[in-house]
Amino acid sequence: MPTLLPPPQDHLVSLSPSRAGRSLDFGMHVYVHVPFCARRCSYCDFAIAVRREVPSAAYTHAVLREWALWLDDPVWEESPVIETIYFGGGTPSRVSADGIAQLVDQLTRERSLAAEAEITLEANPDDVTLAAAASWRAAGVNRISLGVQSFDPGVLQWMHRVHTAEQVPAAVEALRCAGFQDLSLDLIFGLPADLDRDWETDLDRAFALGPEHLSFYGLTVEPHTVLGHRAGRGELTPVDEERYAAEFLAAHRELSRRGYDHYEVSNAALPGCRARHNSAYWKRAPFIGLGPSAHSGFGRERRWNVREWAEYERALQSGGSPLAGREELDEPAIQLEELYLGLRTRRGLPEHRIPSPLRSAWIGSGWAEVQEGRVRLTPEGWLRLDALVASV
Ligand code: SF4
């Protein structure tokens, strides 16, 4: 749910085996996971804690304790400057404005923040008031990712979303009034046909709000969700492949027609407005994840925190670390990660990374093209992303 200038592209270099485990970007990116939500959406299997009242002070205190543990970590030697901060969740807009301000202040107190740093906060429309928006802006947040998902009241109800369709334009107006010039809207497509959702109308309503960025995700029905249980009882007919593909391709066409750059399988932006934080993941840049269930990555190394908020808070309160595990990726895992991350973006991969017969077959089928020595998947290719990666 997931930003200002596009990431500079020319400092990216082709991977050689000797550099494959290293990060290709020297800025640090910080993700702060906020686990709290007012209730669980029907499709959600994220690590969240459902709370009527968010324990903002306890949460802020715990995250700052974790941050203190990171300050002496050698990861800063190669990446001393923070380029992006992303408050994701969960529902970060439910943390008190003071809590967000305190977090931004402390995260940037002992480490330098890049002059053009991107600071994103995910918000649900029902949490956005002019006062809240102004306080996020005053705290230094300069990008908002708004969880819209649909403008259809029946669909919002089916998804167990807490907001109404009418709250979306009101939220956008408040954010614009508060000075936000970089807004992203999230939509979900690929819903079961019997909901009768009109995807093109939802797209039109999103574009009418003039977002700089749009994220659109296909619905996946995970086993341990409300939808998963319904599917298990035979009460849910998943969307058929044809409808899913038609909606994805309709979004691509409409985005292109309106001047958006569909730069990653699920993301599109007006020129200069790509999401820099998410782009950092796709470039395998170094990132620190704070909060329950957050992951961190530096070159080959991966670390992850305990999943549940209560366990996370307990570990930090007792003076310990919330770290649940760490591993070093081996060469095949790195290669697979690069392949997957490269193909999901319009930047693609150097031509030589895809064996020639396979490349020709993809191009012949309309799933890929080669430009400037790089293989890029087309939207038709993105519909088959997992299968194409598996075939390499
Ligand atoms: S708001 Fe997001 S994180 Fe929270 S329950 Fe809904 S989908 Fe999950």
Side-chain angles (χ1 to χ4, degrees):
M1 296 187 283
T3 353
L4 317 177
L5 300 168
Q9 298 292 314
D10 53 2
H11 72 287
L12 295 175
V13 294
S14 299
L15 287 167
S16 63
S18 60
R19 291 207 62 194
R22 297 171 61 85
S23 300
L24 300 181
D25 178 312
F26 296 105
M28 182 61 81
H29 302 269
V30 179
Y31 175 79
V32 186
H33 184 73
V34 178
F36 309 108
C37 287
R39 71 174 177 220
R40 190 177 277 277
C41 300
S42 59
Y43 54 87
C44 179
D45 75 340
F46 297 153
I48 62 159
V50 175
R51 295 283 186 283
R52 191 186 292 266
E53 295 296 331
V54 169
S56 292
Y59 171 75
T60 306
H61 188 65
V63 169
L64 290 178
R65 277 189 173 219
E66 185 189 1
W67 180 243
L69 300 175
W70 279 100
L71 290 175
D72 293 329
D73 199 285
V75 297
W76 292 103
E77 285 165 18
E78 283 196 29
S79 307
V81 176
I82 298 174
E83 293 205 346
T84 69
I85 299 174
Y86 191 103
F87 291 96
T91 316
S93 53
R94 286 176 52 78
V95 173
S96 70
D98 282 354
I100 296 295
Q102 203 186 339
L103 286 167
V104 174
D105 181 55
Q106 291 291 326
L107 296 187
T108 55
R109 183 163 291 212
E110 310 229 14
R111 286 289 173 271
S112 308
L113 186 69
E116 298 290 328
E118 169 192 287
I119 305 182
T120 304
L121 181 124
E122 288 181 356
N124 271 355
D126 51 310
D127 293 328
V128 183
T129 60
L130 186 53
S135 62
W136 297 330
R137 196 73 195 88
V141 176
N142 52 21
R143 181 173 185 269
I144 297 287
S145 173
L146 201 60
V148 176
Q149 319 314 352
S150 175
F151 292 88
D152 180 324
V155 168
L156 291 174
Q157 206 174 9
W158 180 82
M159 288 178 171
H160 293 181
R161 299 290 297 176
V162 287
H163 65 87
T164 64
E166 291 73 34
Q167 284 171 320
V168 178
V172 169
E173 196 181 335
L175 291 165
R176 294 298 193 197
C177 280
F180 283 97
Q181 295 174 357
D182 198 355
L183 296 186
S184 181
L185 304 183
D186 274 9
L187 293 176
I188 295 182
F189 70 97
L191 306 183
D194 50 14
L195 278 176
D196 246 354
R197 190 269 191 96
D198 185 338
W199 172 234
E200 301 205 4
T201 297
D202 267 358
L203 279 175
D204 284 345
R205 291 189 66 178
F207 288 127
L209 298 172
E212 283 72 26
H213 190 278
L214 194 80
S215 298
F216 53 111
Y217 302 99
L219 179 75
T220 49
V221 177
E222 303 294 346
H224 301 295
T225 60
V226 171
L227 294 186
H229 295 310
R230 279 191 207 153
R233 294 194 298 267
E235 296 166 7
L236 184 81
T237 316
V239 70
D240 63 80
E241 275 180 30
E242 222 168 286
R243 185 181 174 108
Y244 186 100
E247 291 190 355
F248 179 77
L249 295 175
H252 173 77
R253 269 195 313 275
E254 202 49 30
L255 285 160
S256 308
R257 193 175 74 76
R258 293 173 184 262
Y260 288 78
D261 167 24
H262 189 177
Y263 67 101
E264 193 266 351
V265 58
S266 301
N267 288 280
L270 290 177
C273 299
R274 289 183 180 190
R276 284 163 56 198
H277 184 86
N278 289 358
S279 295
Y281 296 141
W282 305 323
K283 290 187 301 183
R284 302 184 60 253
F287 61 96
I288 289 175
L290 303 173
S293 81
H295 283 58
S296 305
F298 320 97
R300 291 182 182 279
E301 188 182 353
R302 297 289 177 272
R303 303 181 200 173
W304 57 93
N305 282 349
V306 295
R307 185 177 158 93
E308 302 302 329
W309 155 244
E311 195 183 349
Y312 173 84
E313 188 190 25
R314 241 188 340 265
L316 286 155
Q317 263 177 350
S318 62
S321 158
L323 201 65
R326 62 203 296 172
E327 70 173 349
E328 290 268 318
L329 299 184
D330 60 15
E331 195 55 35
I334 296 257
Q335 296 287 330
L336 183 64
E337 191 177 87
E338 284 169 8
L339 190 66
Y340 184 70
L341 295 179
L343 289 179
R344 63 186 290 167
T345 65
R346 271 301 285 165
R347 180 168 165 75
L349 285 171
E351 216 174 339
H352 67 83
R353 294 295 307 275
I354 309 296
S356 175
L358 204 54
R359 204 164 64 225
S360 303
W362 290 3
I363 293 168
S365 302
W367 300 336
E369 57 195 15
V370 174
Q371 281 175 4
E372 295 161 1
R374 300 185 74 84
V375 182
R376 296 171 175 157
L377 294 191
T378 60
E380 287 77 8
W382 275 335
L383 282 167
R384 299 163 175 81
L385 177 61
D386 290 346
L388 297 187
V389 168
S391 69
V392 177

PDB file of all heavy atoms in Angstrom, residues 335-336 339-340 343 349 352-355 358-359 362 377 385-392:
ATOM      1  N   GLN A 335      20.434 -15.283  -7.355  1.00  0.00           N
ATOM      2  CA  GLN A 335      20.138 -15.245  -8.802  1.00  0.00           C
ATOM      3  C   GLN A 335      18.628 -15.233  -9.042  1.00  0.00           C
ATOM      4  O   GLN A 335      18.128 -14.518  -9.897  1.00  0.00           O
ATOM      5  CB  GLN A 335      20.757 -16.465  -9.502  1.00  0.00           C
ATOM      6  CG  GLN A 335      22.278 -16.509  -9.457  1.00  0.00           C
ATOM      7  CD  GLN A 335      22.907 -15.478 -10.388  1.00  0.00           C
ATOM      8  OE1 GLN A 335      22.324 -15.133 -11.406  1.00  0.00           O
ATOM      9  NE2 GLN A 335      24.071 -14.970 -10.023  1.00  0.00           N
ATOM     10  N   LEU A 336      17.918 -16.056  -8.258  1.00  0.00           N
ATOM     11  CA  LEU A 336      16.462 -16.131  -8.425  1.00  0.00           C
ATOM     12  C   LEU A 336      15.812 -14.805  -8.027  1.00  0.00           C
ATOM     13  O   LEU A 336      14.905 -14.318  -8.711  1.00  0.00           O
ATOM     14  CB  LEU A 336      15.911 -17.278  -7.559  1.00  0.00           C
ATOM     15  CG  LEU A 336      14.417 -17.526  -7.682  1.00  0.00           C
ATOM     16  CD1 LEU A 336      14.055 -17.981  -9.092  1.00  0.00           C
ATOM     17  CD2 LEU A 336      13.948 -18.585  -6.674  1.00  0.00           C
ATOM     18  N   LEU A 339      16.369 -12.271 -10.726  1.00  0.00           N
ATOM     19  CA  LEU A 339      15.544 -12.593 -11.897  1.00  0.00           C
ATOM     20  C   LEU A 339      14.110 -12.107 -11.681  1.00  0.00           C
ATOM     21  O   LEU A 339      13.521 -11.417 -12.522  1.00  0.00           O
ATOM     22  CB  LEU A 339      15.567 -14.115 -12.064  1.00  0.00           C
ATOM     23  CG  LEU A 339      14.986 -14.717 -13.314  1.00  0.00           C
ATOM     24  CD1 LEU A 339      15.816 -14.320 -14.522  1.00  0.00           C
ATOM     25  CD2 LEU A 339      14.987 -16.256 -13.185  1.00  0.00           C
ATOM     26  N   TYR A 340      13.578 -12.458 -10.529  1.00  0.00           N
ATOM     27  CA  TYR A 340      12.187 -12.116 -10.222  1.00  0.00           C
ATOM     28  C   TYR A 340      12.020 -10.600 -10.096  1.00  0.00           C
ATOM     29  O   TYR A 340      11.105 -10.017 -10.675  1.00  0.00           O
ATOM     30  CB  TYR A 340      11.769 -12.825  -8.933  1.00  0.00           C
ATOM     31  CG  TYR A 340      10.326 -12.624  -8.590  1.00  0.00           C
ATOM     32  CD1 TYR A 340       9.323 -13.224  -9.353  1.00  0.00           C
ATOM     33  CD2 TYR A 340       9.958 -11.821  -7.527  1.00  0.00           C
ATOM     34  CE1 TYR A 340       7.993 -13.018  -9.064  1.00  0.00           C
ATOM     35  CE2 TYR A 340       8.625 -11.612  -7.231  1.00  0.00           C
ATOM     36  CZ  TYR A 340       7.643 -12.216  -7.999  1.00  0.00           C
ATOM     37  OH  TYR A 340       6.321 -12.002  -7.710  1.00  0.00           O
ATOM     38  N   LEU A 343      12.489  -8.840 -13.587  1.00  0.00           N
ATOM     39  CA  LEU A 343      11.417  -9.014 -14.575  1.00  0.00           C
ATOM     40  C   LEU A 343      10.116  -8.341 -14.163  1.00  0.00           C
ATOM     41  O   LEU A 343       9.269  -8.070 -15.002  1.00  0.00           O
ATOM     42  CB  LEU A 343      11.189 -10.505 -14.854  1.00  0.00           C
ATOM     43  CG  LEU A 343      12.312 -11.182 -15.636  1.00  0.00           C
ATOM     44  CD1 LEU A 343      12.008 -12.663 -15.837  1.00  0.00           C
ATOM     45  CD2 LEU A 343      12.545 -10.510 -16.992  1.00  0.00           C
ATOM     46  N   LEU A 349      15.940  -6.913 -17.350  1.00  0.00           N
ATOM     47  CA  LEU A 349      17.231  -7.532 -17.037  1.00  0.00           C
ATOM     48  C   LEU A 349      18.150  -7.452 -18.251  1.00  0.00           C
ATOM     49  O   LEU A 349      17.667  -7.417 -19.389  1.00  0.00           O
ATOM     50  CB  LEU A 349      17.031  -9.017 -16.719  1.00  0.00           C
ATOM     51  CG  LEU A 349      16.432  -9.376 -15.375  1.00  0.00           C
ATOM     52  CD1 LEU A 349      16.103 -10.865 -15.358  1.00  0.00           C
ATOM     53  CD2 LEU A 349      17.396  -9.042 -14.239  1.00  0.00           C
ATOM     54  N   HIS A 352      21.579 -11.001 -21.568  1.00  0.00           N
ATOM     55  CA  HIS A 352      22.277 -12.288 -21.410  1.00  0.00           C
ATOM     56  C   HIS A 352      21.745 -13.114 -20.236  1.00  0.00           C
ATOM     57  O   HIS A 352      22.054 -14.289 -20.095  1.00  0.00           O
ATOM     58  CB  HIS A 352      23.788 -12.055 -21.236  1.00  0.00           C
ATOM     59  CG  HIS A 352      24.149 -11.360 -19.951  1.00  0.00           C
ATOM     60  ND1 HIS A 352      24.289 -12.041 -18.776  1.00  0.00           N
ATOM     61  CD2 HIS A 352      24.373 -10.049 -19.674  1.00  0.00           C
ATOM     62  CE1 HIS A 352      24.594 -11.173 -17.819  1.00  0.00           C
ATOM     63  NE2 HIS A 352      24.647  -9.961 -18.335  1.00  0.00           N
ATOM     64  N   ARG A 353      20.896 -12.489 -19.370  1.00  0.00           N
ATOM     65  CA  ARG A 353      20.385 -13.240 -18.227  1.00  0.00           C
ATOM     66  C   ARG A 353      19.290 -14.244 -18.621  1.00  0.00           C
ATOM     67  O   ARG A 353      18.932 -15.124 -17.847  1.00  0.00           O
ATOM     68  CB  ARG A 353      19.818 -12.289 -17.154  1.00  0.00           C
ATOM     69  CG  ARG A 353      20.841 -11.401 -16.487  1.00  0.00           C
ATOM     70  CD  ARG A 353      21.861 -12.195 -15.673  1.00  0.00           C
ATOM     71  NE  ARG A 353      21.235 -13.099 -14.721  1.00  0.00           N
ATOM     72  CZ  ARG A 353      20.845 -12.747 -13.506  1.00  0.00           C
ATOM     73  NH1 ARG A 353      21.013 -11.512 -13.108  1.00  0.00           N
ATOM     74  NH2 ARG A 353      20.294 -13.632 -12.696  1.00  0.00           N
ATOM     75  N   ILE A 354      18.718 -14.080 -19.810  1.00  0.00           N
ATOM     76  CA  ILE A 354      17.685 -15.021 -20.255  1.00  0.00           C
ATOM     77  C   ILE A 354      18.248 -15.807 -21.435  1.00  0.00           C
ATOM     78  O   ILE A 354      18.620 -15.219 -22.457  1.00  0.00           O
ATOM     79  CB  ILE A 354      16.412 -14.270 -20.715  1.00  0.00           C
ATOM     80  CG1 ILE A 354      15.941 -13.264 -19.659  1.00  0.00           C
ATOM     81  CG2 ILE A 354      15.280 -15.253 -21.066  1.00  0.00           C
ATOM     82  CD1 ILE A 354      15.510 -13.847 -18.341  1.00  0.00           C
ATOM     83  N   PRO A 355      18.332 -17.132 -21.326  1.00  0.00           N
ATOM     84  CA  PRO A 355      18.901 -17.921 -22.417  1.00  0.00           C
ATOM     85  C   PRO A 355      18.223 -17.595 -23.751  1.00  0.00           C
ATOM     86  O   PRO A 355      16.998 -17.397 -23.802  1.00  0.00           O
ATOM     87  CB  PRO A 355      18.615 -19.369 -21.995  1.00  0.00           C
ATOM     88  CG  PRO A 355      18.405 -19.305 -20.517  1.00  0.00           C
ATOM     89  CD  PRO A 355      17.856 -17.946 -20.215  1.00  0.00           C
ATOM     90  N   LEU A 358      14.886 -19.209 -25.020  1.00  0.00           N
ATOM     91  CA  LEU A 358      13.753 -18.815 -24.181  1.00  0.00           C
ATOM     92  C   LEU A 358      13.343 -17.379 -24.499  1.00  0.00           C
ATOM     93  O   LEU A 358      12.147 -17.057 -24.638  1.00  0.00           O
ATOM     94  CB  LEU A 358      14.187 -18.913 -22.713  1.00  0.00           C
ATOM     95  CG  LEU A 358      13.108 -19.094 -21.657  1.00  0.00           C
ATOM     96  CD1 LEU A 358      12.227 -20.284 -21.971  1.00  0.00           C
ATOM     97  CD2 LEU A 358      13.762 -19.272 -20.289  1.00  0.00           C
ATOM     98  N   ARG A 359      14.349 -16.543 -24.634  1.00  0.00           N
ATOM     99  CA  ARG A 359      14.108 -15.126 -24.957  1.00  0.00           C
ATOM    100  C   ARG A 359      13.314 -15.013 -26.260  1.00  0.00           C
ATOM    101  O   ARG A 359      12.334 -14.290 -26.345  1.00  0.00           O
ATOM    102  CB  ARG A 359      15.475 -14.449 -25.100  1.00  0.00           C
ATOM    103  CG  ARG A 359      15.465 -12.983 -24.872  1.00  0.00           C
ATOM    104  CD  ARG A 359      16.863 -12.484 -24.658  1.00  0.00           C
ATOM    105  NE  ARG A 359      17.727 -12.657 -25.806  1.00  0.00           N
ATOM    106  CZ  ARG A 359      18.964 -13.119 -25.776  1.00  0.00           C
ATOM    107  NH1 ARG A 359      19.498 -13.496 -24.632  1.00  0.00           N
ATOM    108  NH2 ARG A 359      19.683 -13.231 -26.865  1.00  0.00           N
ATOM    109  N   TRP A 362       9.744 -16.053 -25.768  1.00  0.00           N
ATOM    110  CA  TRP A 362       8.954 -15.020 -25.062  1.00  0.00           C
ATOM    111  C   TRP A 362       8.598 -13.888 -26.025  1.00  0.00           C
ATOM    112  O   TRP A 362       7.475 -13.404 -26.042  1.00  0.00           O
ATOM    113  CB  TRP A 362       9.748 -14.429 -23.892  1.00  0.00           C
ATOM    114  CG  TRP A 362       9.968 -15.356 -22.736  1.00  0.00           C
ATOM    115  CD1 TRP A 362       9.597 -16.668 -22.630  1.00  0.00           C
ATOM    116  CD2 TRP A 362      10.612 -15.020 -21.504  1.00  0.00           C
ATOM    117  NE1 TRP A 362       9.994 -17.180 -21.419  1.00  0.00           N
ATOM    118  CE2 TRP A 362      10.610 -16.190 -20.707  1.00  0.00           C
ATOM    119  CE3 TRP A 362      11.214 -13.866 -21.004  1.00  0.00           C
ATOM    120  CZ2 TRP A 362      11.178 -16.220 -19.436  1.00  0.00           C
ATOM    121  CZ3 TRP A 362      11.773 -13.888 -19.729  1.00  0.00           C
ATOM    122  CH2 TRP A 362      11.752 -15.054 -18.956  1.00  0.00           C
ATOM    123  N   LEU A 377       9.541  -7.543 -19.722  1.00  0.00           N
ATOM    124  CA  LEU A 377       8.253  -8.201 -19.953  1.00  0.00           C
ATOM    125  C   LEU A 377       7.216  -7.167 -20.384  1.00  0.00           C
ATOM    126  O   LEU A 377       7.232  -6.027 -19.925  1.00  0.00           O
ATOM    127  CB  LEU A 377       7.775  -8.922 -18.686  1.00  0.00           C
ATOM    128  CG  LEU A 377       8.616 -10.103 -18.214  1.00  0.00           C
ATOM    129  CD1 LEU A 377       7.878 -10.878 -17.125  1.00  0.00           C
ATOM    130  CD2 LEU A 377       8.973 -11.057 -19.364  1.00  0.00           C
ATOM    131  N   LEU A 385       4.131 -13.812 -14.967  1.00  0.00           N
ATOM    132  CA  LEU A 385       5.439 -13.557 -14.353  1.00  0.00           C
ATOM    133  C   LEU A 385       6.008 -14.793 -13.633  1.00  0.00           C
ATOM    134  O   LEU A 385       7.143 -15.200 -13.883  1.00  0.00           O
ATOM    135  CB  LEU A 385       5.314 -12.369 -13.378  1.00  0.00           C
ATOM    136  CG  LEU A 385       6.560 -12.006 -12.581  1.00  0.00           C
ATOM    137  CD1 LEU A 385       7.703 -11.603 -13.494  1.00  0.00           C
ATOM    138  CD2 LEU A 385       6.256 -10.851 -11.610  1.00  0.00           C
ATOM    139  N   ASP A 386       5.211 -15.401 -12.760  1.00  0.00           N
ATOM    140  CA  ASP A 386       5.733 -16.524 -11.971  1.00  0.00           C
ATOM    141  C   ASP A 386       6.156 -17.679 -12.879  1.00  0.00           C
ATOM    142  O   ASP A 386       7.210 -18.281 -12.690  1.00  0.00           O
ATOM    143  CB  ASP A 386       4.689 -17.025 -10.968  1.00  0.00           C
ATOM    144  CG  ASP A 386       4.477 -16.002  -9.862  1.00  0.00           C
ATOM    145  OD1 ASP A 386       5.304 -15.080  -9.727  1.00  0.00           O
ATOM    146  OD2 ASP A 386       3.465 -16.121  -9.144  1.00  0.00           O
ATOM    147  N   ALA A 387       5.319 -17.969 -13.885  1.00  0.00           N
ATOM    148  CA  ALA A 387       5.637 -19.092 -14.774  1.00  0.00           C
ATOM    149  C   ALA A 387       6.889 -18.779 -15.597  1.00  0.00           C
ATOM    150  O   ALA A 387       7.730 -19.664 -15.808  1.00  0.00           O
ATOM    151  CB  ALA A 387       4.451 -19.369 -15.703  1.00  0.00           C
ATOM    152  N   LEU A 388       7.046 -17.547 -16.042  1.00  0.00           N
ATOM    153  CA  LEU A 388       8.219 -17.201 -16.856  1.00  0.00           C
ATOM    154  C   LEU A 388       9.491 -17.273 -16.014  1.00  0.00           C
ATOM    155  O   LEU A 388      10.505 -17.794 -16.461  1.00  0.00           O
ATOM    156  CB  LEU A 388       8.064 -15.807 -17.481  1.00  0.00           C
ATOM    157  CG  LEU A 388       6.895 -15.643 -18.477  1.00  0.00           C
ATOM    158  CD1 LEU A 388       6.944 -14.296 -19.150  1.00  0.00           C
ATOM    159  CD2 LEU A 388       6.893 -16.732 -19.532  1.00  0.00           C
ATOM    160  N   VAL A 389       9.419 -16.779 -14.772  1.00  0.00           N
ATOM    161  CA  VAL A 389      10.600 -16.869 -13.901  1.00  0.00           C
ATOM    162  C   VAL A 389      10.946 -18.343 -13.672  1.00  0.00           C
ATOM    163  O   VAL A 389      12.116 -18.734 -13.742  1.00  0.00           O
ATOM    164  CB  VAL A 389      10.335 -16.144 -12.542  1.00  0.00           C
ATOM    165  CG1 VAL A 389      11.424 -16.467 -11.527  1.00  0.00           C
ATOM    166  CG2 VAL A 389      10.239 -14.638 -12.760  1.00  0.00           C
ATOM    167  N   ALA A 390       9.927 -19.152 -13.430  1.00  0.00           N
ATOM    168  CA  ALA A 390      10.185 -20.581 -13.161  1.00  0.00           C
ATOM    169  C   ALA A 390      10.785 -21.279 -14.377  1.00  0.00           C
ATOM    170  O   ALA A 390      11.471 -22.303 -14.236  1.00  0.00           O
ATOM    171  CB  ALA A 390       8.874 -21.269 -12.754  1.00  0.00           C
ATOM    172  N   SER A 391      10.559 -20.740 -15.579  1.00  0.00           N
ATOM    173  CA  SER A 391      11.029 -21.434 -16.779  1.00  0.00           C
ATOM    174  C   SER A 391      12.496 -21.119 -17.094  1.00  0.00           C
ATOM    175  O   SER A 391      13.085 -21.756 -17.961  1.00  0.00           O
ATOM    176  CB  SER A 391      10.155 -21.053 -17.977  1.00  0.00           C
ATOM    177  OG  SER A 391      10.371 -19.687 -18.331  1.00  0.00           O
ATOM    178  N   VAL A 392      13.079 -20.134 -16.398  1.00  0.00           N
ATOM    179  CA  VAL A 392      14.460 -19.747 -16.723  1.00  0.00           C
ATOM    180  C   VAL A 392      15.458 -20.752 -16.151  1.00  0.00           C
ATOM    181  O   VAL A 392      15.346 -21.127 -14.996  1.00  0.00           O
ATOM    182  CB  VAL A 392      14.787 -18.327 -16.191  1.00  0.00           C
ATOM    183  CG1 VAL A 392      16.238 -17.957 -16.476  1.00  0.00           C
ATOM    184  CG2 VAL A 392      13.852 -17.318 -16.831  1.00  0.00           C
TER     185      VAL A 392
END
